[in-house]
Amino acid sequence: GTAASPEAYKKIIQTAAEYGYYSFGLHYDNSLSSSGICNNTNDENCVQNALKEYFEGVDYSTEVNVNFPNSFINRITKMILYLNSQNPSEEWNQFLTSNNEINWNLISLAGHSMGSRHAFFISKQVSLYKVGLFSGPNGFVLDNGNFPSWISNVGATANSDITGFSNQNDNVAQWNYVQNIWQIAGIQGTPINIDNNNEINSHQLFTEYVSQNNSGSLIPAHNSTCADIDTPIES
């Protein structure tokens, strides 16, 4: 999420590890929300170019300034190399080729809020194992009210491998907006409320949970899907 660090999402990362994933949180320069770039424009490629620069570290956009060392590709690669050197018996190197390129088909990406925009965009670029979109994505709408056409384009990752989870009470990434993007993007199924539903047969999931910490602000609803501070924890 914007201005948040991986330390804010330890529980979801730990849960992934408990289910057998090799799991880590990625830190990057997220001080500028991707919904705060490309304002007042009808350029369909503006947000796409900015997100591509975050991903590759190549100068595609005047809106952001991300060099290769700070790109997602480099940071993921360096993290895997580091973890493999520290824990060789765990074989983290399986996620890299012999040329230290990422085996994307073995990688799952999940992101919250701004992170969901990155995960969604990257799913268009490379074939990922799974993708999780928490409380998003949003921030794609053009000045004329339309969405960029690339959102509906067929991506490298199959729609059947992408799942969204949002809160209907979210006033940051509003539910109607997020649901619209999921439908345009072709995420499978219809919206299902998981609160009282044990049969989940859709990739479009939502909750109506309201945090007990909610003191007049609905921001906790935005965080409730995966951020430690507001995610409900059962006994």
Side-chain angles (χ1 to χ4, degrees), residues 17 61 64-65 85 109 120 124 134 136 153 156 176 195 205 221-222:
S61 170
V64 297
N65 183 20
S85 69
L109 287 181
F120 176 70
K124 297 285 190 181
F134 292 97
N153 291 345
N176 289 339
D195 294 340
L205 311 177
H222 183 61

Side-chain angles (χ1 to χ4, degrees), residues 6-199:
E7 285 82 4
Y9 301 93
K10 286 183 178 180
K11 289 184 174 68
I12 194 72
I13 297 170
Q14 290 168 348
T15 300
E18 289 167 2
Y19 275 87
Y21 279 85
Y22 289 63
S23 184
F24 60 81
L26 189 69
H27 192 85
Y28 66 101
D29 182 5
N30 60 354
S31 57
L32 177 64
S33 167
S34 55
S35 62
I37 61 178
C38 299
N39 288 325
N40 303 315
T41 181
N42 290 320
D43 180 358
E44 285 212 340
N45 296 317
C46 186
V47 171
Q48 181 177 220
N49 287 339
L51 295 174
K52 193 172 184 179
E53 184 163 329
Y54 273 106
F55 180 48
E56 298 180 10
V58 177
D59 187 15
Y60 293 111
S61 170
T62 58
E63 299 282 333
V64 297
N65 183 20
V66 182
N67 57 16
F68 180 73
N70 289 304
S71 67
F72 288 134
I73 289 177
N74 186 59
R75 288 189 167 222
I76 292 171
T77 302
K78 293 297 178 65
M79 186 64 153
I80 294 172
L81 288 170
Y82 171 78
L83 290 168
N84 189 67
S85 69
Q86 297 298 303
N87 309 281
S89 64
E90 295 179 0
E91 299 183 346
W92 284 86
N93 59 351
Q94 68 185 284
F95 301 105
L96 298 175
T97 69
S98 58
N99 295 324
N100 288 335
E101 296 178 349
I102 299 170
N103 279 322
W104 290 110
N105 62 309
L106 299 181
I107 300 291
S108 295
L109 287 181
H112 173 240
S113 191
M114 177 182 179
S116 72
R117 299 168 207 152
H118 290 296
F120 176 70
F121 171 77
I122 295 171
S123 76
K124 297 285 190 181
Q125 307 301 303
V126 293
S127 178
L128 296 162
Y129 179 64
K130 299 291 180 185
V131 179
L133 309 175
F134 292 97
S135 300
N138 67 335
F140 292 143
V141 70
L142 301 172
D143 195 42
N144 59 15
N146 296 327
F147 290 100
S149 59
W150 64 267
I151 290 177
S152 60
N153 291 345
V154 176
T157 302
N159 288 342
S160 58
D161 292 323
I162 303 173
T163 301
F165 179 41
S166 284
N167 192 316
Q168 271 198 327
N169 297 309
D170 192 333
N171 70 340
V172 179
Q174 295 181 355
W175 168 242
N176 289 339
Y177 183 106
V178 171
Q179 183 187 0
N180 197 5
I181 288 183
W182 290 356
Q183 291 175 342
I184 293 172
I187 295 178
Q188 293 188 347
T190 57
I192 288 183
N193 186 336
I194 68 164
D195 294 340
N196 299 298
N197 193 331
N198 294 322
E199 294 187 18

